[in-house]
Amino acid sequence: MADNDLVRSILIVGGGTAGWMSAAALVRALSSRCSITLVESDAIGTVGVGEATIPPIRLFNQMLGIDERDFLRETRGSYKLGIEFVNWGEAGHRYFHPFGPYGRAFDTVDLHQYWLRARAEGEAAPLCDHSMAWQLAKANRFCPPSPDPRNVLSTFDYAYHFDAGLYAAYLRRYAEARGVHRVEGQVAAVHRHGEDGFVAGVTLADGQRLDADLFIDCSGFRGLLIEGALETGYQDWSHWLPCDRAMAVPSENVGPLTPYTRSTAREAGWQWRIPLQHRTGNGYVYCSQFLSDDEAASRLLARLDGKALGEPRPLRFTTGRRNRFWNRNVVAIGLSSGFMEPLESTSIHLIQAGIAKLIALFPDRGFDPLVIEEYNRLAIAEYERIRDFLVLHYKLTRRDDAELWRYCAAMDIPDTLATKIEHFRRYGRLVAREADLFGPPSWLAVQIGQGNWPEATDPVAAYRDVDGRGWLARLRAAMTQTASVQPDHAAYIAGQVGLMPATGGA
Ligand code: FAD
């Protein structure tokens, strides 16, 4: 490729998690041969939430060459082994969505088929007892997974909880040290080329003009370029995911530092609990049709574990996605591209996935439609598969004690999801789709956790001559015993980062 065909300048609009993740990854991938500028406005600020992640975040940090201990110290982070769901299937019921598989495959037939058979024969052990992530989580313990596949500690995965503001600041230092140029200012106007409608540049409130070849819209819900300038359009998914508001408030840590997120279903939505080293993040995600903002705030405050460290902060959103994630020479990354509620902590992952796709399909100055269409195809598929997984939680509720839950139990769902629910209900089979971020163990956790009990097991299991019950019992025993001798989560972090958490610990 001729040098003058290369994209020579990138302008990132927005300096939240999306902006600084994009800046860090792009400067790493493109080095100094492409000038990268990021403009952000202190007056506007960031959304300021987003503290729970899923395991691929570790790959992102590794790709940047970030040391885990340094990262945990700088972001006051903790480890996350999965999500505990409380009151979702029905009031008083709990289940765990673990990171990683249930045990290790011991046959060509899935482990859970033997578990379903054992359960039909009166075996009472819960499914999650066969998950190493859960065995560690319920004992508030943590250690890194073993690289040895014969070790039961190789059968789990992990992610982090962290302070999103500190993470953005950390990545800012990283990006600026490698040449990203930061401009403080508010974008007041967006300029487009007359002939093709491509974005040419932006003018800031102080009159400064910033031009570039490629623009990354990380301006948050506003979607300053992708929507404000290019009017790309938005698909509203509120009929499937009706929550449209959140109240967020941090609280003091009390009790042990749990290595998992908790999601508790409430009357008009659900409440998150995210433990960090120095505080606990809390929020109530709710549907404004069924609960007022004042009620949401007071109920959240009444249900905190520890003392609130401020006033609840309201946030509004419309669940859905842009019609196109990449339009002309603008790529929307982060909240500007769409939003799905943080039930499975997928937003930061979608930022990471957007960046990875952009680097894999990096354009030249011709902005070939072939490249742009492929990016959009992949992004749409990924969004839709995550949407289905989130809707699964609502659809499978057996609660009928509040309007939101009655609405969700009765609502129509996407065909792609209906098929998965039906396969599981008939034979306990987990059918996968292209771009499914959440693999079979995740779907299994929620299907079983919320009571979609299969009518029959996979017929193939009946041909097998395997002592599944004995194998499951040995697996559980090995996991329980192994978990019991691992370090306490808080103590493990303290050893890693050289700090003691504010509260909790052994
Ligand atoms: P923002 O943080 O809003 O940043 C926008 C940036 O654009 C800011 O720097 C702002 O100054 C700048 N900007 C805007 N307009 C202008 C302008 N005119 N001129 C100059 N600059 C401008 N994600 C997770 O992965 N896990 C979670 O647990 C999680 N929880 C969440 C809970 C809630 C209630 C919500 C709403 C979101 C949650 N998210 C979560 C999502 C997560 O917060 C976002 O994905 C992430 O913070 C990225 O935000 P952003 O950078 O796209 O936008």
Side-chain angles (χ1 to χ4, degrees), residues 230-300:
L230 298 185
E231 298 179 343
T232 303
Y234 195 80
Q235 283 198 14
D236 184 338
W237 287 342
S238 304
H239 49 293
W240 288 315
L241 292 165
C243 289
D244 56 355
R245 306 247 171 122
M247 284 286 165
V249 71
S251 64
E252 284 178 358
N253 278 352
V254 288
L257 190 72
T258 49
Y260 55 89
T261 304
R262 180 175 296 137
S263 162
T264 305
R266 300 295 189 198
E267 53 286 277
W270 58 278
Q271 181 174 336
W272 78 74
R273 178 185 178 280
I274 298 177
L276 307 180
Q277 290 176 40
H278 57 313
R279 60 170 171 78
T280 300
N282 310 277
Y284 188 167
V285 175
Y286 58 99
C287 177
S288 60
Q289 218 185 315
F290 304 125
L291 195 71
S292 72
D293 295 347
D294 287 348
E295 282 173 313
S298 64
R299 289 179 194 191
L300 175 63

Side-chain angles (χ1 to χ4, degrees), residues 13-20 38-53 164 185-188 204 217-222 224 245-248 272 274 285 315-317 333-336 339-342 344-349 351:
V13 176
T17 316
W20 286 113
L38 183 147
V39 57
E40 64 177 321
S41 161
D42 291 340
I44 293 177
T46 64
V47 70
V49 278
E51 302 180 323
T53 59
Q186 197 164 325
V187 173
L204 306 185
D217 187 346
C218 297
S219 63
F221 287 127
R222 288 172 186 78
L224 216 60
R245 306 247 171 122
M247 284 286 165
W272 78 74
I274 298 177
V285 175
L315 295 137
R316 293 180 175 204
F317 52 85
I333 291 185
L335 297 173
S336 63
F339 183 66
M340 291 182 275
E341 57 177 76
E344 288 282 354
S345 319
T346 41
S347 283
I348 292 173
H349 174 76
I351 296 172

Side-chain angles (χ1 to χ4, degrees), residues 85-263:
F85 287 93
V86 182
N87 297 343
W88 275 83
E90 55 192 327
H93 181 258
R94 290 168 183 262
Y95 71 94
F96 194 70
H97 168 194
F99 292 149
Y102 290 90
R104 195 182 312 113
F106 57 92
D107 188 30
T108 48
V109 174
D110 286 341
L111 177 146
H112 74 272
Q113 296 289 348
Y114 292 104
W115 177 78
L116 286 168
R117 266 190 13 198
R119 186 175 174 276
E121 290 161 9
E123 170 63 71
L127 178 65
C128 57
D129 280 4
H130 307 89
S131 151
M132 193 66 234
W134 168 243
Q135 293 283 5
L136 289 164
K138 77 173 171 183
N140 284 326
R141 292 178 188 275
F142 185 80
C143 63
S146 164
D148 179 357
R150 292 162 305 178
N151 188 329
V152 76
L153 284 174
S154 67
T155 62
F156 74 98
D157 210 342
Y158 72 92
Y160 311 108
H161 306 116
F162 56 72
D163 183 318
L166 295 177
Y167 186 50
Y170 183 66
L171 293 181
R172 175 180 162 185
R173 290 194 293 280
Y174 177 100
E176 286 188 310
R178 286 161 179 78
V180 171
H181 177 53
R182 174 185 181 268
V183 177
E184 191 335 275
Q186 197 164 325
V187 173
V190 181
H191 309 285
R192 296 173 68 184
H193 292 293
E195 63 283 15
D196 55 12
F198 276 46
V199 171
V202 300
T203 301
L204 306 185
D206 65 3
Q208 189 180 171
R209 167 120 183 194
L210 302 170
D211 287 352
D213 296 330
L214 171 66
F215 292 81
I216 315 291
D217 187 346
C218 297
S219 63
F221 287 127
R222 288 172 186 78
L224 216 60
L225 307 181
I226 195 81
E227 198 58 52
L230 298 185
E231 298 179 343
T232 303
Y234 195 80
Q235 283 198 14
D236 184 338
W237 287 342
S238 304
H239 49 293
W240 288 315
L241 292 165
C243 289
D244 56 355
R245 306 247 171 122
M247 284 286 165
V249 71
S251 64
E252 284 178 358
N253 278 352
V254 288
L257 190 72
T258 49
Y260 55 89
T261 304
R262 180 175 296 137
S263 162

Side-chain angles (χ1 to χ4, degrees), residues 8-58:
R8 287 288 179 204
S9 55
I10 299 175
L11 180 68
I12 299 171
V13 176
T17 316
W20 286 113
M21 282 177 77
S22 301
L26 287 171
V27 76
R28 177 88 178 184
L30 308 174
S31 70
S32 57
R33 296 193 67 204
C34 182
S35 105
I36 302 175
T37 303
L38 183 147
V39 57
E40 64 177 321
S41 161
D42 291 340
I44 293 177
T46 64
V47 70
V49 278
E51 302 180 323
T53 59
I54 53 176
I57 186 73
R58 288 167 47 215

